Amino acid sequence: MPATPPLEELNQPVFGKDSASVSSKNHHDLENNSSTQIENAFKKSKSLTIQKSEILAAQYNTVYHKAVLLFSAFLVGYGYGLDSNTRYVFTAYATSSYSAHSLLATVNVIQAVIAAASQPIYARLSDVFGRFQLFLVSIVFYSMGTIIQSQAYDVQRYAGGTILYYIGYVGVILVLLLILSDFSSLKWRLFFQFIPTYPFIINTWISGDVTSAIGGENWQRGIALWAYVFPLACIPLICCFLHMYYKASKTEEWKLVNQQKTLFQHHGYKKAFVYLFWKLDLIGLVLMTAMLGCLLVPLTIAEGIADKWNSYKIIIPFVFGGVLLPVFCFYEFRYAKFPIAPFELVKDRGIWSALLISFLLDFIFYLAADYLYTVLVVAVHESVKSATRIVLTSSFVSVVAAPFFSLVVVKVKKLKGFIITGCCLWMLAMGLLLHFRGGEDAHSGIIGALCVWGLGTCFFSYPINVSAQSVVSHDNMANVTSLIYTTYRIGAAVGAAISGAIWTLNLHDRLVYHLADNDLAEAAYSSPFTFIVTYTWETVERQQVVLAYRDVQLKLNLVAVIFCVPMIFAAFFLRDPPLTDSVANEKVDDEKQHVDRTDEDIITQKVHKFARNLKRRTVTAFSKKA
């Protein structure tokens, strides 16, 4: 790819010749030249945004300013963290109030699919318009979706609000992550990115009080309050950016950057928007969203009843999604000018292994945790408060360990060994959950499993993102980060769909088997929280429901354990460059290599050495026999 030409060249007219004197070949060449010039202008526009972000970061380069910025990020994390810790509980009560509790997985699939499609758009637009501007857009979507959810009177309208809310939610998380990445070196990156997670230390203990005080029957109120509480939590960070812009406007660097023309100034809004259409790969995103929705949602809505699997409402979307899968792949490889997953980046083991781990992380999480709250309340006899706290135990342990772990990383400056350890701890946690599945004696076992789970999460969830960022340049940092989070959300969608399918396919039948009463089974299946009010823990009916839940949890957790194996395997393929004091890898030339492949990976070297020795010994053994 040729280097970006000077700005003066981009100002030259493209269609200035008389069309009658231009041959069709020359006209085609001019169109290609126009496309190339717009592409180069886009790169320059992106570079301008990166330059501005670096100038803004320089304004908050003192310890005092960074402390203020991190505290502001802490408040944002406190807002969306406490909201998410309580909203999923209110979502369970909302679906139960619609007599559609089994559709909880459907709502989770919709959230994850929308999130997967939103990530690349946010990342690519933030490189053009700026992080702060996209952060404000995210807040608007967040509040709009929250209001719609709180006023929904059926599951369809609730799902509509969920779409808008989740567009805002994932935007806030991704853009905040990019902001913290811009303001930190690779060595301190993990410490900075952990800051928005620290509120979980507090939220774990107060979220149960919040849900208990509001009450599940008042779920509308519990959701609605975040339409104005969360934007208030964002005000300090907004003020920080306004202050940064004010300070930067007085610098010579800012004035020089502002003198350079952007994509829109060079080519006008029409051509710029056409190019952005291709740059955002909107066709690919629409195909991906439709494909994932059609393939995954039907798995969660059949409700375990055989006749419904023969319904056209299940068959048609599933078939359509199957048709869209090869169409999507063909379009991305053949026609997409800027694919969602650029081959130049994804083909390197440092990126594809991180993407695979990111996918499996949320896939396994939803298998084990999608219905964990319901299991705790119905099958372990926990109260609303204790169940809310228990499901957040893993987050609590992860966040408590995070500051100590991130400071260790500052000294060690390596991540791969920790990531492998974290993946192994997840497998241990899934094994414990496989054993402790229901009954009052499962209380301590589940808590222990979640503690191990949380420690493993600390060791590899955020480090995966930093690992991928450490092998690319600053210009590609947002793109790689969005890829990590896109696969993360796709993993969530697939995991929620599979868990929902296992739940709906098996629970209804197991309830009928244990209760031997179709009406009771239907009541326990569709509205479990209402069912347990009538049938308390001591009743025979409740104990039969516990047995049914144990049967289903066995299958869910067994699948989770199995998929921990490829996650551990993928961790060995990660690259392990030293984490430096630079914002991004400075050795990468995006025009040539895209990814730094010069890292000294001690673990991979040892594996290769072991493989060579094993091969040599095998050859020697066969030679002696011969």
Side-chain angles (χ1 to χ4, degrees):
M1 185 178 293
T4 304
L7 288 171
E8 291 77 8
E9 293 183 23
L10 297 178
N11 287 324
Q12 296 301 318
V14 177
F15 301 111
K17 295 184 180 181
D18 181 8
S19 58
S21 62
V22 180
S23 66
S24 59
K25 180 178 182 303
N26 289 336
H27 182 70
H28 179 70
D29 291 341
L30 286 173
E31 287 182 342
N32 288 337
N33 188 35
S34 173
S35 177
T36 302
Q37 289 183 339
I38 296 177
E39 179 178 348
N40 290 332
F42 181 88
K43 290 180 180 178
K44 194 65 179 179
S45 176
K46 175 180 175 180
S47 179
L48 290 177
T49 306
I50 298 299
Q51 289 179 49
K52 286 184 177 180
S53 69
E54 292 173 350
I55 296 172
L56 290 173
Q59 309 312 307
Y60 268 42
N61 201 32
T62 66
V63 174
Y64 168 76
H65 284 113
K66 287 192 174 183
V68 172
L69 179 71
L70 292 178
F71 179 72
S72 301
F74 173 88
L75 292 178
V76 175
Y78 193 98
Y80 71 69
L82 183 57
D83 181 12
S84 63
N85 284 357
T86 57
R87 191 177 301 217
Y88 84 93
V89 175
F90 293 129
T91 297
Y93 282 100
T95 54
S96 182
S97 70
Y98 303 138
S99 295
H101 179 264
S102 61
L103 294 182
L104 179 62
T106 305
V107 175
N108 288 334
V109 169
I110 293 171
Q111 288 182 167
V113 170
I114 294 302
S118 303
Q119 306 280 7
I121 294 178
Y122 274 114
R124 295 180 184 189
L125 288 181
S126 71
D127 278 339
V128 180
F129 298 105
R131 320 289 199 218
F132 177 60
Q133 290 77 0
L134 268 293
F135 184 72
L136 295 179
V137 171
S138 302
I139 295 173
V140 172
F141 276 109
Y142 192 107
S143 298
M144 288 173 56
T146 299
I147 292 171
I148 294 173
Q149 276 186 318
S150 67
Q151 302 304 311
Y153 51 83
D154 58 35
V155 72
Q156 291 82 8
R157 287 169 177 79
Y158 190 87
T162 297
I163 291 173
L164 293 179
Y165 156 70
Y166 229 66
I167 289 174
Y169 176 75
V170 299
V172 166
I173 292 177
L174 179 64
V175 176
L176 183 61
L177 193 72
L178 294 176
I179 290 171
L180 293 175
S181 298
D182 287 337
F183 281 79
S184 61
S185 66
L186 286 170
K187 187 170 67 175
W188 286 93
R189 181 71 44 81
L190 197 60
F191 181 85
F192 273 60
Q193 290 187 359
F194 271 136
I195 292 295
T197 70
Y198 291 161
F200 278 100
I201 298 175
I202 306 170
N203 293 342
T204 299
W205 305 110
I206 70 171
S207 55
D209 294 316
V210 172
T211 55
S212 180
I214 295 175
E217 67 279 1
N218 297 319
W219 60 266
Q220 295 97 333
R221 186 189 306 168
I223 293 175
L225 64 90
W226 294 104
Y228 59 90
V229 172
F230 177 70
L232 288 176
C234 297
I235 288 178
L237 185 61
I238 293 173
C239 291
C240 284
F241 264 92
L242 293 176
H243 184 225
M244 275 184 268
Y245 273 101
Y246 172 74
K247 292 184 67 177
S249 65
K250 296 184 177 182
T251 64
E252 290 298 323
E253 295 88 350
W254 189 267
K255 295 175 182 177
L256 290 173
V257 169
N258 281 335
Q259 290 175 4
Q260 302 180 48
K261 292 184 178 180
T262 64
L263 171 68
F264 297 94
Q265 292 170 329
H266 276 298
H267 295 281
Y269 285 93
K270 183 178 180 180
K271 290 182 180 178
F273 277 120
V274 168
Y275 187 76
L276 280 176
F277 172 83
W278 293 108
K279 181 64 182 178
L280 296 176
D281 195 18
L282 292 180
I283 296 177
L285 289 172
V286 169
L287 288 173
M288 182 183 75
T289 303
M291 175 195 68
L292 290 174
C294 290
L295 285 175
L296 301 178
V297 171
L299 296 177
T300 67
I301 62 177
E303 301 182 4
I305 301 171
D307 290 343
K308 291 200 173 185
W309 285 93
N310 297 325
S311 170
Y312 71 92
K313 295 180 181 179
I314 303 297
I315 296 174
I316 292 178
F318 201 77
V319 172
F320 188 62
V323 172
L324 284 178
L325 177 58
V327 172
F328 168 73
C329 295
F330 180 74
Y331 173 81
E332 286 294 298
F333 283 102
R334 181 69 178 83
Y335 293 106
K337 297 181 179 179
F338 302 95
I340 296 171
F343 181 71
E344 293 81 4
L345 293 174
V346 176
K347 69 180 181 180
D348 187 80
R349 65 179 175 89
I351 303 299
W352 66 254
S353 57
L355 295 178
L356 179 57
I357 295 171
S358 182
F359 172 86
L360 291 172
L361 188 157
D362 231 20
F363 173 77
I364 295 169
F365 173 84
Y366 271 92
L367 282 169
D370 208 2
Y371 290 96
L372 184 58
Y373 175 82
T374 306
V375 171
L376 287 168
V377 173
V378 177
V380 190
H381 197 210
E382 301 289 349
S383 66
V384 171
K385 181 188 292 188
S386 64
T388 304
R389 287 177 174 175
I390 289 172
V391 296
L392 297 175
T393 300
S394 63
S395 297
F396 175 76
V397 172
S398 176
V399 175
V400 168
F404 305 102
F405 172 58
S406 58
L407 291 176
V408 170
V409 170
V410 171
K411 293 296 183 180
V412 177
K413 301 179 183 178
K414 294 281 187 174
L415 287 173
K416 186 171 180 176
F418 294 112
I419 294 173
I420 294 173
T421 303
C423 293
C424 293
L425 287 174
W426 261 47
M427 188 170 186
L428 174 60
M430 295 306 112
L432 290 172
L433 289 176
L434 184 64
H435 180 72
F436 300 101
R437 306 189 306 277
E440 287 186 317
D441 58 341
H443 170 85
S444 300
I446 292 175
I447 293 175
L450 293 178
C451 289
V452 175
W453 194 350
L455 187 61
T457 301
C458 176
F459 280 2
F460 84 99
S461 59
Y462 278 80
I464 279 296
N465 184 50
V466 177
S467 175
Q469 288 181 345
S470 67
V471 297
V472 299
S473 66
H474 197 180
D475 279 352
N476 270 318
M477 185 178 71
N479 195 20
V480 166
T481 304
S482 73
L483 280 177
I484 293 290
Y485 276 81
T486 297
T487 54
Y488 176 83
R489 299 299 177 182
I490 293 175
V494 177
I498 298 300
S499 68
I502 293 174
W503 187 270
T504 56
L505 279 171
N506 292 277
L507 182 59
H508 188 273
D509 289 342
R510 300 313 298 168
L511 287 169
V512 171
Y513 173 80
H514 286 288
L515 289 169
D517 188 320
N518 286 333
D519 292 336
L520 275 179
E522 184 61 32
Y525 178 78
S526 60
S527 299
F529 301 119
T530 304
F531 179 87
I532 64 175
V533 173
T534 304
Y535 298 95
T536 57
W537 186 254
E538 297 79 14
T539 61
V540 175
E541 292 83 358
R542 178 72 170 276
Q543 293 305 312
Q544 295 304 308
V545 170
V546 171
L547 293 176
Y549 272 53
R550 284 178 56 86
D551 292 345
V552 178
Q553 282 295 101
L554 173 65
K555 295 183 179 181
L556 284 170
N557 291 320
L558 182 60
V559 176
V561 170
I562 292 171
F563 276 94
C564 284
V565 176
M567 185 168 68
I568 296 172
F569 183 73
F572 282 94
F573 286 88
L574 290 168
R575 294 195 179 277
D576 199 21
L579 304 179
T580 65
D581 290 315
S582 302
V583 174
N585 196 311
E586 296 179 340
K587 296 188 292 182
V588 178
D589 183 357
D590 286 330
E591 295 293 334
K592 296 179 181 178
Q593 62 187 114
H594 300 283
V595 176
D596 178 24
R597 300 182 177 89
T598 61
D599 61 295
E600 297 178 359
D601 188 345
I602 297 175
I603 294 176
T604 302
Q605 289 174 358
K606 289 185 177 296
V607 171
H608 285 167
K609 183 178 179 180
F610 174 78
R612 287 194 299 269
N613 290 337
L614 182 63
K615 180 180 178 181
R616 186 177 65 254
R617 290 174 183 175
T618 303
V619 171
T620 303
F622 274 105
S623 298
K624 290 180 178 179
K625 288 183 179 180

